[in-house]
Amino acid sequence: MKTIERINSKVAILLCLSLMMISTLSYAQQTKSTLFKKADQAMLDAKFAQADLLVPDEYNKGIENYRQAEKHFADQKGVEKIEESLVEAVNHFNRAVTFSVSAKSVFASSLDARSDALLAGADRSALETWKEAEEVFNKAARELEKGDRDDSYKYATEAIELYRKAELTSIKTDLLDKTRALLTKADDTNVDRNAPKTLKKAESLLAATERELETNRYDMDYPRTLAKQAKYEASHAIELDKTISKMDDRDMEMEDVILQYELPLIRIAEKAGFVAQFQNGIENPEQGIIKHISELQIDNNRLNAENIARDNEIRDLKTTIDLLKNENLLLRTEFDNEVKERSDSMKSKMLEFETEKARLDAKIEKQTKLNQQFEEVYLIFDKSEASVFRSGDEIVIRLHGFGFATGKSEITPTNFDLLTKVQNAIKIFPESSVIVEGYTDSFGGDASNLMLSQKRSDAVTQYLNANSDTEEDSRISSVGYGEINPVANNETAEGRKQNRRIDVKIQPQM
């Protein structure tokens, strides 16, 4: 009996030790999260501002101090030593963010050239030139940090030429050479006997691409699109030849061919929930499928936006709850151990806890009201007119049913009803600021696209103010972003149509 008691006693001791170790590890992790929170945010802000690219020396000093703080924490050097390194890291990150604002302005052309080269895949297809361009741009950034604008400008100009060269090399290597190889293959296999039109189209697109590359060195959007289309049409012609040859070998009649190519539409229509019938041709099934896909895309975009917004809210609330639980645990422990000596201090902390709880209750109440207002706005618009979603506390109305004539910024009567709905949506948030954002597709020059998008956003803003029954102009502003932040593929007509858009952002006071 005594032996059993001794065994039970040892088991209890081991269990207590295990729980203490787990508790210690958990507390250490919570402590690190609290200590490093400000530095973590500063580092994220620096990365978002591209400080690692634009202000490399200052950014790297921040990283060095952050790593030193991690080492101090692992070696248990003490809070004071850790905080000393973290303060230095935050200072370097903050200076890097501040300096990156002016650096972006100085290096605007270089950053545009770099972005175009990345879009063309230069970091893969023209790797050596890309690396050289990155090294030269890094020199430009470091010279600007030192205050030497002359050398910085010299290196930045050199980097632009290298980025353009890498972009051009990538287009020629990755697209044109492959297209020429496909056309040679098509010639060797006599593709022109069965697909002469498609083959001719590929050859014409290739020639057009080469002309564009010779005459226009600074806007690669159009030639890049032509090159991809040429490659596609060459592959298309080869596949058409194979398909037609198989039909000839099987001695298929025209009726058999048509019936065979109706089958995919029949199967797709079944998945869409209707029966494809061809007594009036292919148009009705085609339109039914397109309509079904469009509705699915709109629903999917709305659901994705809602999921992102709700995930962010849930994450923020979970973080707040965890912090409150930790604070509550610490308060209870201190209260039990030092209730006599620190009663005044404990009362103060409890008051802070109640104040924080009241603040959170007020925030939840505001969020509930915001959700209700969002539902009101969402119900105003048809799916064909606009997508309504949330980005944090911001309400975004992406106008699908709004279109400008090519190169124009005038409001037409066809848009009056939709703009009236936008005004009604804005009225739901009487104490808010409103931003009207204009966007274009990627065709055309960057400067002209930026100017056109600003004119369009100004036109919408002026209309909303002119037709409002309250003084809205104090809270409605407009901005044009040109071709940046595309929501669809600029290489298709439908994608470019979606990118030529107006976004109305309502920012409630929280």
Side-chain angles (χ1 to χ4, degrees):
M1 186 68 178
K2 290 182 178 180
T3 302
I4 294 173
E5 288 178 352
R6 284 197 297 272
I7 292 172
N8 288 338
S9 177
K10 289 180 179 180
V11 170
I13 292 170
L14 288 173
L15 181 60
C16 288
L17 289 172
S18 298
L19 290 172
M20 288 174 65
M21 289 176 65
I22 293 171
S23 176
T24 301
L25 288 172
S26 176
Y27 179 74
Q29 188 60 40
Q30 293 169 7
T31 303
K32 183 179 180 182
S33 176
T34 302
L35 279 173
F36 282 70
K37 183 177 181 180
K38 189 174 182 179
D40 287 336
Q41 186 59 53
M43 182 164 57
L44 284 174
D45 292 342
K47 288 181 179 178
F48 182 76
Q50 293 183 288
D52 53 336
L53 178 67
L54 298 169
V55 199
D57 287 339
E58 197 69 37
Y59 177 82
N60 288 335
K61 288 176 184 177
I63 292 294
E64 289 172 8
N65 281 278
Y66 186 91
R67 298 288 177 249
Q68 188 65 41
E70 288 187 319
K71 186 175 185 304
H72 289 331
F73 185 86
D75 295 341
Q76 298 181 355
K77 291 289 186 180
V79 173
E80 186 175 339
K81 198 77 173 175
I82 297 168
E83 287 183 340
E84 183 180 333
S85 294
L86 288 175
V87 167
E88 282 298 311
V90 170
N91 289 338
H92 285 299
F93 287 140
N94 288 343
R95 283 196 290 270
V97 170
T98 301
F99 195 79
S100 66
V101 175
S102 58
K104 281 183 180 179
S105 176
V106 173
F107 295 132
S109 298
S110 302
L111 291 173
D112 287 343
R114 185 177 187 272
S115 177
D116 290 342
L118 277 173
L119 190 61
D123 56 331
R124 302 185 305 275
S125 304
L127 185 58
E128 292 303 318
T129 308
W130 170 261
K131 286 181 178 178
E132 185 180 356
E134 289 284 85
E135 289 173 2
V136 173
F137 185 80
N138 185 263
K139 289 180 181 178
R142 291 181 185 278
E143 291 299 324
L144 187 64
E145 272 192 277
K146 292 189 294 186
D148 191 337
R149 284 185 170 267
D150 291 338
D151 281 348
S152 175
Y153 178 77
K154 180 184 72 173
Y155 287 127
T157 303
E158 185 181 343
I160 290 173
E161 291 301 316
L162 287 169
Y163 283 133
R164 296 298 183 198
K165 181 181 177 182
E167 180 185 14
L168 186 61
T169 300
S170 179
I171 291 175
K172 289 182 176 180
T173 301
D174 193 43
L175 295 173
L176 296 191
D177 288 352
K178 290 180 181 178
T179 303
R180 292 189 188 99
L182 288 170
L183 290 174
T184 299
K185 178 181 177 181
D187 186 55
D188 292 341
T189 55
N190 298 319
V191 168
D192 60 339
R193 66 190 169 184
N194 289 323
K197 295 179 181 179
T198 305
L199 187 61
K200 184 67 176 177
K201 186 177 181 181
E203 293 170 345
S204 298
L205 287 166
L206 177 62
T209 303
E210 291 171 336
R211 286 195 302 273
E212 284 292 326
L213 291 174
E214 289 297 326
T215 58
N216 187 357
R217 282 291 316 279
Y218 298 101
D219 190 352
M220 293 288 107
D221 289 341
Y222 184 50
R224 182 171 56 248
T225 300
L226 286 176
K228 289 184 177 181
Q229 189 64 23
K231 181 182 174 184
Y232 162 74
E233 294 297 351
S235 301
H236 189 196
I238 293 171
E239 185 60 29
L240 283 173
D241 178 63
K242 290 179 183 178
T243 302
I244 294 171
S245 296
K246 288 179 183 178
M247 292 177 179
D248 290 342
D249 292 341
R250 296 175 187 171
D251 196 23
M252 295 177 68
E253 296 181 0
M254 184 57 68
E255 182 183 8
D256 297 324
V257 174
I258 294 173
L259 289 173
Q260 179 175 329
Y261 279 89
E262 285 178 353
L263 287 176
L265 287 177
I266 292 173
R267 288 195 291 268
I268 294 171
E270 286 178 351
K271 293 294 183 181
F274 68 93
V275 177
Q277 296 181 332
F278 301 91
Q279 69 270 26
N280 294 318
I282 198 174
E283 183 176 348
N284 286 342
E286 177 189 13
Q287 292 301 319
I289 291 169
I290 291 173
K291 180 181 177 184
H292 180 72
I293 292 173
S294 298
E295 290 176 350
L296 287 177
Q297 288 175 333
I298 292 172
D299 286 342
N300 186 58
N301 291 337
R302 178 180 61 80
L303 290 173
N304 283 338
E306 289 178 359
N307 285 338
I308 291 172
R310 286 172 183 169
D311 286 345
N312 289 337
E313 289 178 9
I314 290 170
R315 186 178 63 250
D316 291 344
L317 288 173
K318 283 184 176 179
T319 301
T320 302
I321 290 170
D322 289 340
L323 288 172
L324 287 174
K325 284 181 178 179
N326 293 335
E327 289 179 8
N328 188 41
L329 179 61
L330 290 172
L331 288 172
R332 287 181 181 276
T333 302
E334 291 178 7
F335 181 80
D336 291 339
N337 294 335
E338 303 179 22
V339 62
K340 293 180 180 179
E341 295 82 6
R342 302 179 60 184
S343 58
D344 292 340
S345 176
M346 288 300 297
K347 288 178 181 179
S348 175
K349 289 186 177 181
M350 289 301 294
L351 180 61
E352 291 176 3
F353 176 83
E354 292 298 329
T355 302
E356 178 65 11
K357 182 177 180 299
R359 187 186 68 80
L360 286 174
D361 288 341
K363 183 177 179 180
I364 292 171
E365 183 179 351
K366 287 184 178 180
Q367 287 292 337
T368 301
K369 181 180 179 181
L370 183 61
N371 290 338
Q372 293 171 348
Q373 291 172 315
F374 172 77
E375 290 296 330
E376 291 181 47
V377 173
Y378 180 78
L379 294 173
I380 289 175
F381 299 92
D382 294 331
K383 293 178 181 178
S384 61
E385 294 176 326
S387 291
V388 182
F389 55 93
R390 286 179 60 179
S391 178
D393 293 332
E394 191 175 70
I395 311 299
V396 181
I397 304 172
R398 180 157 293 157
L399 302 178
H400 296 305
F402 193 95
F404 288 100
T406 302
K408 303 295 184 181
S409 60
E410 291 78 16
I411 304 294
T412 62
T414 56
N415 295 313
F416 289 173
D417 289 343
L418 181 56
L419 287 172
T420 299
K421 291 187 176 183
V422 172
Q423 288 176 311
N424 292 336
I426 293 173
K427 290 177 182 177
I428 293 174
F429 298 87
E431 296 181 357
S432 65
S433 59
V434 181
I435 302 175
V436 178
E437 297 180 348
Y439 297 89
T440 68
D441 59 36
S442 65
F443 280 13
D446 295 349
S448 61
N449 280 341
L450 186 63
M451 184 179 297
L452 179 59
S453 67
Q454 184 64 55
K455 287 182 178 180
R456 288 175 173 174
S457 62
D458 287 344
V460 173
T461 300
Q462 291 167 6
Y463 180 91
L464 292 174
N465 287 330
N467 292 276
S468 174
D469 54 4
T470 58
E471 294 183 3
E472 301 288 346
D473 53 348
S474 61
R475 63 189 182 108
I476 301 179
S477 59
S478 60
V479 62
Y481 287 104
E483 62 188 57
I484 67 171
N485 298 329
V487 297
N489 190 344
N490 268 309
E491 295 175 8
T492 67
E494 180 60 26
R496 290 192 294 275
K497 180 180 177 182
Q498 292 183 44
N499 288 334
R500 296 192 296 269
R501 69 188 191 279
I502 290 292
D503 284 355
V504 178
K505 293 187 176 179
I506 302 173
Q507 299 172 332
Q509 289 186 1
M510 297 300 294

